[in-house]
Amino acid sequence: MMGPILLIILPFLGAFLLPIIYRHYNQAGYWAAPVVLVISLVICIGLWHGVNIVGPQSLVMGGVSAPLGIVFYVDALSILFVLVLLVGSLILWLGAWHRRIKEEMLLLLMVGGGSGLVLSGDLFNIYVFFEIVAVASYGLSASRRGDPCGYAASLRFLLLGSLGSAFILLGIAIIYALTGTLNLSHLAMLAPQALHGMAGLSAFALMLIGFAVKAELFPVNTWVAEVYAHAPVRISALLAGIVSKLAIIVVLRLLLLLYAHEQAYMLLLCIGVAGLITGELAAFYAKDLRRMLAYSSIGQLSVIAIAFSIPGTLGVVSGLALALHHALVKTGLFMLTEKWKGSISSLQGMAHSAKWPSVLLIIFALSLIGVPPLPGFWAKFLLFKAGFSAGGGYSYAMLLILLSIIIEAAYFFRVIHLLYQTPAASSTPLIPRNKELQPMLVISGLLLLVMLTIDPIYHHLSKIATQVVDVQAYIDHTLPAWKSTH
Amino acid sequence: MNLLDLLLLLSLLTVVLMYFYGHRREAGWLGVAAYAIQLLVLIKLYSYMQSDRIIVAHLSFSVMEHILIWGMTGLGWFFAVISLGAALFASWYTAGEWQDTQKNMRLQHIVLSLNVFAMLILLCSQDFITLFIGWELVSWASFFMMTHSGGKAAKAAYRYLIYAMSGAVALFAALVLIMVKLGSTSFSVFWAALPTLPDSFLWLLVVLFFIGFSIKMAILPFHLWQADAYAETPGANASFLSAISARMGLFALALVLLQPVGIERLQHLMMPLFTFVDARTLLAWIAALTAIIPTYIALQQSDARLLLAWHGIGQGGLMLLGITVGTPLGVAGGLLHAFNYATYQGALFLAVTAVLHRTGTTDLDRLGGLITRMPWSYVVLLLGIIGLAGLPPMNGFVSKWLIYKSLLDQGMPLLLVAASISTLGTILSVYKLIHNIFLGQLRKAHYEVKEAPWSMVLPMLILAVIGFITGLMPGLALSLVDKAQMALGYDALPHHLGGLEWKTGSLNMLWVVGILIYGIAIGAVVFYLFGGRSHKTHQWDNYAGGHFLSAEVPYHYSHNFYPGVMRVIGGWFRHQTLNVEMGIRHFVQWSAELCCRLSQVAHPTLYMLMLAVAALAFVG
């Protein structure tokens, strides 16, 4: 079965061939990238279906079996996030890319890299794919010329990101020095003895810092607001909504497989709590809609990190629910800001000329705050259930999240309040173009669909969570040869 | 499909109807018809409301291993009657001329129907999850109602939103804590576990529930948001909001915490540090203070709508006080007061809106002498304030009597004194209300003012008459209260048409009102038969201290009413709660600025280094 390889190869191939296709067949070039994505999506859905029926599968590359060879591991979690990545980038394709070849190429690279990132079964490949995603995102965030602020922001992003990658590499090196292997399942077997010491945990800390740059965790998230405020909205939506989730999923994998250790959980919890406080408060202060959304996504990702730091399936389920919900909603919210950038006060009274975008903003905001019966409520419900069940420090973290809900409501409804005021006399109506609304409509449709199917989704997520938490199954699948010895 | 399904469906259909036909002129009548039909269904449900029977709707979901069902008990039914009644009269009021002055009548119709629907959903909640869902629906629906007219109203509504979110968050926490601790979210499991819950956990729950529900009721210290928000809402909807919206808090508090088992448990729940005070006494005193302080704030208002809205908060305190007494008499008093209050407060708000409609202002310093121009509005306002002040022959007297009686029976004389102080404040300020609007000198500007049209007078008049009839024959309202009381688990009061027989003293309003009317009749006879000669004069034909006063000399004493009282109590109003609110706001603003500054750095890599050092130190 070649499915997982195709998921990675096809976008890469598309990216490399895109300039050639454009040169020779302009019209075909315009459709090439979406077609690649659609084919990937079909493969992905096929794999998803397969995983649901027969359970996780692993794929060995190059004829050398694990732990020496390259391993791809397809389980419900990884395939789910590949699906999210593909669907997300397809939805963002709706509307306009206007033959921006470079952006399309970089986006395909990002899709391929992202798929590889979640599917990889060894640390080295994770690092490689992470770098690909990172480089693509630096390129994307600086892809529009003529905006010096955007350039400066992406340069800062680049500096921070590459330093983060260096930290990841350092962490991987430490692990390799300690254990002599980089295969995740092999490491999972060795972890309790080899990695739960000081050196092993410091490797986790270093890797966490590296991934935290992409996952917008405190305090290496200072790039977020600037980059999102100046990058094209689609890029902001993609980075905030989806790419950040991939990074945090990798952290979850590492945490579950290698570092099911109290200190690792606590470290993630502390970082999450600090990010929650600073992110939400900064969003409260922000005077610009895009920056507000950016800070809000810092806060939300911190909440997801807190959820993942709760040991056990409950924490994983709630984290997954929050991640998926945030991927939907934040993508939608960013798509709103194509026209609505700059100071919030310039939005006064815009609801009168742009009725539907305002209504969509309200729906997304309500769901993000967590108002029943919208999906956001159920995600938060799961989170609090997990957090209060875990007790101890987690209860205080939950308390902070509860307080942050009030602040979220305050800053979102300050904007909405402004939208529905009488327009200022001198203002020109900023009506988002219909083309920009298409992705948003799709996303809000998805949101309502999720609302109606909460129960099946919850059961599916619980299934995923139990699968992910089961380390032994992971080892058995990827190292079948070693099954007998253990 | 049973009657409850029908009710919910009809309510939802009303929302749809208003969405499509709300812009029509006859939408108000459509609303009247829709609410009347729903009310009929409710009346039909009356016979189903036995003490422990629940009529369950077929609306049901299974979510995350919880099965959500909605069903109605007597308590929900009682509040549903009030909400539908209030909606009916509010809709009627908008059916005529008044709608021409409104620029967004369609929205007003939609939000009204939405509020009714949300309330019905809340009133049918059967476990903590459905309660929370209903609670959120009601909160957002009333936010919508307050905010849609924009401007000042939207500002007040935004403040409400922050308060409501705080309440919702507290409720959310309580819901999850109960689920984690007891493994179930159903009410009955919670009540069964209540006697054995550890004190610390129960205190946490009591505080969380109190925050959650009392924010809606604007109980002290969360009272700041309500008056502005209600007063700025357009008239008809304001009457609906103030008549019933805040009572949802009372419903939820009674449902969750103030059943007999709850009261019993709260009496044994001693405060930490102050072990001579138990939770119920604390709650009763908070309720009493809520009855007093907002009432005296109302006394200071110079706007009729604000004055009424502040009174609403105070009356809510009285209702809570009645229910926390926890005897059949007290609970009946509290619930009956909710019903009675809805009738006269609805009438009062509508009457004040009629004045606003005709004169363009509700500023108490700019009105006066309207009695000759708007006699019917005057009658409504008079009946309304008699009810608000709790004097016979209106229904407010009966419920206050029940509450006072229960306080006496339970040996709580100090609370009785507190309640009387509140009533004193009410009497003072309602006199100010009627005097400044209707009595005294007519302003020159209002010389041409006409009575409000019948489409407006009739609904408010009927509300006031209902207030009178249920005052004359409280048995009518008490038979509604019975259902709610039995659903809560208290014995029904032995009542008859005119009042009730009670071992420590009975009340028969037929007699009370009869004697009152008899006394007035004798006075009238004496006045008309044996009085001296009289001649009618013009309203402006006045003398003061021997000086002739013409229309050019304004002498209607309205500004700075009760300076003596204010001098005495003025020192007590130092905006303590407001200062706390401002303090929190500034703290959040300040820390938000700090966090925003923190993330705007030129050298983000420095942070990374700091994190690396800290994280390595943490794991090391």
Side-chain angles (χ1 to χ4, degrees):
Chain A
M1 75 148 217
M2 285 294 290
I5 310 296
L6 285 179
L7 282 181
I8 300 163
I9 295 293
L10 271 180
F12 282 162
L13 207 62
F16 295 133
L17 293 182
L18 206 59
I20 302 171
I21 301 175
Y22 258 118
R23 179 163 302 165
H24 295 286
Y25 309 99
N26 202 350
Q27 199 61 32
Y30 186 65
W31 289 104
V35 166
V36 168
L37 286 179
V38 168
I39 294 172
S40 303
L41 190 63
V42 171
I43 296 171
C44 183
I45 290 172
L47 278 175
W48 188 44
H49 198 62
V51 167
N52 276 340
I53 294 168
V54 298
Q57 301 156 30
S58 64
L59 178 72
V60 177
M61 290 285 292
V64 186
S65 70
L68 295 174
I70 293 173
V71 168
F72 287 104
Y73 184 66
V74 188
D75 67 346
L77 176 74
S78 50
I79 207 69
L80 176 71
F81 276 85
V82 175
L83 197 67
V84 168
L85 177 65
L86 288 170
V87 171
S89 35
L90 253 182
I91 288 176
L92 292 177
W93 220 285
L94 288 175
W97 282 95
H98 290 306
R99 295 193 173 75
R100 298 176 187 279
I101 304 176
K102 279 179 206 154
E103 278 176 36
E104 288 186 40
M105 274 172 60
L106 286 171
L107 191 93
L108 283 177
L109 275 181
M110 185 133 87
V111 170
S115 306
L117 186 62
V118 287
L119 289 171
S120 294
D122 65 286
L123 276 178
F124 187 74
N125 273 342
I126 286 181
Y127 174 72
V128 169
F129 285 121
F130 184 76
E131 273 298 280
I132 294 174
V133 173
V135 169
S137 56
Y138 307 141
L140 280 173
S141 64
S143 61
R144 299 278 159 98
R145 298 232 174 100
D147 187 355
C149 293
Y151 256 10
S154 40
L155 189 66
R156 227 172 272 162
F157 180 27
L158 172 74
L159 278 176
L160 202 58
S162 37
L163 203 59
S165 303
F167 273 119
I168 297 179
L169 204 56
L170 190 58
I172 292 176
I174 292 175
I175 289 180
Y176 193 66
L178 284 175
T179 61
T181 179
L182 288 178
N183 183 286
L184 277 181
S185 44
H186 196 186
L187 281 171
M189 270 166 38
L190 300 174
Q193 295 92 38
L195 292 180
H196 289 186
M198 212 171 100
L201 284 169
S202 57
F204 173 72
L206 291 173
M207 286 192 291
L208 180 63
I209 293 168
F211 289 119
V213 177
K214 273 279 148 11
E216 302 175 13
L217 295 179
F218 181 81
V220 285
N221 49 22
T222 46
W223 59 272
V224 171
E226 294 307 315
V227 168
Y228 292 178
H230 297 291
V233 273
R234 280 155 202 280
I235 307 302
S236 301
L238 199 70
L239 288 178
I242 294 161
V243 177
S244 55
K245 305 298 177 310
L246 300 181
I248 210 158
I249 287 301
V250 174
V251 172
L252 174 71
R253 272 266 199 248
L254 292 180
L255 201 61
L256 289 175
L257 288 177
L258 310 188
Y259 291 101
H261 186 270
E262 197 195 349
Q263 265 189 325
Y265 284 124
M266 283 323 268
L267 182 63
L268 192 58
L269 177 68
C270 292
I271 289 179
V273 165
L276 173 74
I277 298 171
T278 51
E280 295 290 1
L281 282 174
F284 183 76
Y285 189 75
K287 300 275 183 277
D288 165 332
L289 187 57
R290 279 199 200 173
R291 277 200 177 79
M292 189 188 97
L293 291 178
Y295 284 127
S296 149
S297 86
I298 290 178
Q300 294 294 318
L301 277 154
S302 305
V303 172
I304 296 169
I306 291 173
F308 283 146
S309 77
I310 301 170
T313 37
L314 266 180
V316 177
V317 176
S318 61
L320 289 178
L322 285 165
L324 291 177
H325 173 252
H326 186 246
L328 260 184
V329 168
K330 203 37 76 63
T331 313
L333 280 171
F334 264 112
M335 289 309 295
L336 264 175
T337 59
E338 167 80 48
K339 275 283 172 74
W340 290 355
K341 57 188 170 191
S343 164
I344 288 175
S345 56
S346 67
L347 296 179
Q348 188 176 335
M350 284 310 144
H352 301 284
S353 45
K355 191 176 161 198
W356 282 108
S358 313
V359 171
L360 286 176
L361 175 64
I362 293 176
I363 293 176
F364 289 143
L366 284 179
S367 189
L368 202 66
I369 294 165
V371 175
L374 290 164
F377 165 70
W378 296 107
K380 285 205 164 124
F381 182 75
L382 281 173
L383 171 68
F384 293 137
K385 193 173 156 186
F388 283 123
S389 305
Y394 294 106
S395 300
Y396 296 103
M398 293 305 119
L399 190 70
L400 282 174
I401 296 174
L402 282 165
L403 290 178
S404 78
I405 293 179
I406 305 174
I407 294 180
E408 263 170 40
Y411 61 71
F412 270 114
F413 275 82
R414 191 175 48 200
V415 174
I416 292 166
H417 168 83
L418 207 63
L419 280 174
Y420 283 89
Q421 292 294 305
T422 39
S426 59
S427 67
T428 48
L430 305 171
I431 309 167
R433 277 174 294 166
N434 283 338
K435 252 186 176 172
E436 299 299 326
L437 285 183
Q438 286 167 3
M440 276 180 58
L441 282 174
V442 174
I443 290 169
S444 53
L446 274 177
L447 197 70
L448 295 182
L449 193 71
V450 170
M451 188 177 94
L452 296 176
T453 53
I454 287 286
D455 210 32
I457 289 177
Y458 165 69
H459 286 296
H460 189 74
L461 288 183
S462 327
K463 222 168 75 186
I464 295 178
T466 39
Q467 210 178 76
V468 173
V469 170
D470 192 356
V471 178
Q472 196 55 46
Y474 188 95
I475 297 171
D476 290 348
H477 267 104
T478 41
L479 293 177
W482 294 34
K483 206 173 183 176
S484 51
T485 57
H486 293 272
Chain B
M1 184 151 130
N2 60 24
L3 281 173
L4 186 58
D5 294 333
L6 183 67
L7 180 67
L8 294 177
L9 191 68
L10 281 173
S11 186
L12 189 62
L13 276 179
T14 313
V15 180
V16 176
L17 192 75
M18 286 307 164
Y19 185 82
F20 288 109
Y21 294 101
H23 59 281
R24 299 264 187 98
R25 272 195 69 81
E26 62 274 13
W29 290 116
L30 270 177
V32 171
Y35 299 126
I37 294 171
Q38 291 171 47
L39 209 52
L40 279 179
V41 176
L42 262 188
I43 291 167
K44 196 101 190 219
L45 273 168
Y46 179 77
S47 55
Y48 289 86
M49 293 299 148
Q50 303 303 329
S51 59
D52 53 353
R53 245 180 93 180
I54 301 170
I55 176 162
V56 178
H58 286 103
L59 177 73
S60 167
F61 300 101
S62 160
V63 179
M64 299 184 183
E65 289 132 25
H66 299 282
I67 295 169
L68 307 184
I69 51 166
W70 280 267
M72 192 170 256
T73 62
L75 188 67
W77 180 84
F78 174 71
F79 282 95
V81 169
I82 304 178
S83 1
L84 277 171
L88 175 75
F89 286 104
S91 189
W92 188 350
Y93 196 75
T94 64
E97 197 185 301
W98 187 69
Q99 61 178 313
D100 301 331
T101 59
Q102 300 298 307
K103 59 174 192 265
N104 46 14
M105 207 53 227
R106 173 166 173 257
L107 261 182
Q108 289 191 34
H109 284 308
I110 295 173
V111 289
L112 181 63
S113 55
L114 210 58
N115 266 275
V116 172
F117 178 65
M119 280 177 188
L120 287 179
I121 292 282
L122 172 65
L123 294 172
C124 289
S125 51
Q126 285 301 323
D127 63 274
F128 284 107
I129 297 183
T130 46
L131 181 78
F132 184 72
I133 293 176
W135 188 260
E136 283 288 274
L137 284 179
V138 166
S139 295
W140 288 99
S142 53
F143 169 69
F144 195 16
M145 188 175 250
M146 292 167 199
T147 197
H148 72 77
S149 51
K152 244 176 164 178
K155 218 169 191 168
Y158 180 68
R159 191 183 189 189
Y160 160 71
L161 178 76
I162 307 296
Y163 272 91
M165 279 316 293
S166 319
V169 156
L171 214 53
F172 203 169
L175 152 73
V176 178
L177 280 174
I178 288 173
M179 190 175 67
V180 168
K181 183 94 178 174
L182 303 178
S184 160
T185 55
S186 91
F187 290 143
S188 48
V189 172
F190 174 66
W191 294 326
L194 202 50
T196 55
L197 280 180
D199 273 8
S200 54
F201 183 68
L202 192 56
W203 262 118
L204 185 62
L205 284 187
V206 167
V207 169
L208 288 175
F209 278 134
F210 178 74
I211 294 175
F213 297 137
S214 63
I215 280 178
K216 186 83 189 158
M217 282 180 82
I219 295 291
L220 240 54
F222 310 112
H223 58 290
L224 290 173
W225 66 269
Q226 197 177 69
D228 290 333
Y230 283 10
E232 293 299 335
T233 307
N237 282 352
S239 89
F240 173 80
L241 269 183
S242 54
I244 183 64
S245 188
R247 300 294 89 82
M248 291 298 128
L250 190 72
F251 160 77
L253 212 52
L255 177 72
V256 173
L257 222 46
L258 301 179
Q259 311 241 343
V261 55
I263 296 271
E264 176 95 351
R265 182 71 181 86
L266 290 186
Q267 272 171 310
H268 294 108
L269 190 63
M270 295 301 169
M271 255 181 89
L273 297 181
F274 302 89
T275 42
F276 54 91
V277 184
D278 62 83
R280 187 188 68 151
T281 315
L282 185 69
L283 205 55
W285 274 103
I286 291 175
L289 284 177
T290 308
I292 297 173
I293 293 175
T295 304
Y296 282 89
I297 296 176
L299 189 57
Q300 297 173 313
Q301 302 304 315
S302 61
D303 184 286
R305 291 182 294 168
L306 275 175
L307 187 142
L308 286 177
W310 275 109
H311 270 303
I313 301 171
Q315 300 295 307
L318 272 181
M319 295 169 209
L320 184 62
L321 182 61
I323 291 182
T324 38
V325 171
T327 58
L329 208 58
V331 174
L335 292 172
L336 184 63
H337 203 56
F339 176 86
N340 292 345
Y341 165 81
T343 57
Y344 56 70
Q345 183 80 343
L348 283 172
F349 248 101
L350 294 181
V352 166
T353 308
V355 171
L356 176 69
H357 179 65
R358 283 303 190 211
T359 65
T361 178
T362 53
D363 188 344
L364 291 175
D365 292 348
R366 293 168 189 281
L367 291 163
L370 285 172
I371 181 168
T372 55
R373 296 293 176 270
M374 304 179 76
W376 284 112
S377 303
Y378 168 74
V379 169
V380 171
L381 196 88
L382 181 66
L383 289 177
I385 63 165
I386 293 174
L388 189 59
L391 304 172
M394 294 299 287
N395 54 8
F397 170 72
V398 183
S399 42
K400 278 195 178 176
W401 185 87
L402 286 174
I403 294 171
Y404 292 175
K405 189 86 193 158
S406 69
L407 286 172
L408 271 182
D409 281 359
Q410 283 299 74
M412 301 170 167
L414 286 177
L415 283 170
L416 178 66
V417 172
S420 318
I421 293 174
S422 141
T423 299
L424 176 70
T426 314
I427 294 175
L428 287 177
S429 58
V430 294
Y431 175 68
K432 173 180 173 180
L433 180 71
I434 198 162
H435 169 268
N436 287 10
I437 297 178
F438 286 105
L439 307 180
Q441 185 193 29
L442 186 68
R443 284 182 159 253
K444 220 175 175 184
H446 298 153
Y447 199 67
E448 300 293 328
V449 162
K450 287 200 292 271
E451 175 60 280
W454 280 106
S455 64
M456 295 167 72
V457 170
L458 216 52
M460 63 197 199
L461 196 61
I462 291 177
L463 268 176
V465 169
I466 291 176
F468 175 72
I469 290 175
T470 51
L472 179 66
M473 296 176 269
L476 295 175
L478 277 171
S479 53
L480 306 182
V481 170
D482 275 354
K483 300 292 180 192
Q485 202 167 359
M486 290 194 303
L488 271 179
Y490 293 95
D491 297 330
L493 281 187
H495 61 83
H496 51 78
L497 188 62
L500 77 163
E501 298 291 337
W502 196 248
K503 46 190 182 294
T504 56
S506 305
L507 175 72
N508 192 334
M509 282 303 284
L510 291 169
W511 275 101
V512 173
V513 178
I515 291 170
L516 190 78
I517 291 176
Y518 189 60
I520 292 172
I522 290 179
V525 168
V526 169
F527 181 78
Y528 285 112
L529 289 186
F530 308 109
R533 284 178 298 118
S534 63
H535 72 273
K536 286 198 170 173
T537 60
H538 191 268
Q539 225 179 350
W540 289 347
D541 187 5
N542 277 297
Y543 291 86
H547 292 279
F548 177 73
L549 295 170
S550 71
E552 279 68 40
V553 188
Y555 68 90
H556 182 50
Y557 173 49
S558 60
H559 186 67
N560 192 17
F561 225 68
Y562 300 130
V565 181
M566 285 305 147
R567 222 177 5 257
V568 175
I569 63 169
W572 292 74
F573 294 99
R574 291 219 186 89
H575 308 296
Q576 289 91 342
T577 338
L578 192 67
N579 287 340
V580 173
E581 195 203 81
M582 294 285 274
I584 293 173
R585 225 159 41 186
H586 286 151
F587 174 71
V588 172
Q589 194 74 30
W590 173 79
S591 42
E593 188 176 348
L594 191 74
C595 287
C596 208
R597 289 273 153 79
L598 224 114
S599 63
Q600 291 169 344
V601 283
H603 304 290
T605 40
L606 198 65
Y607 279 177
M608 181 173 267
L609 201 65
M610 279 155 61
L611 176 66
V613 172
L616 288 177
F618 182 83
V619 297

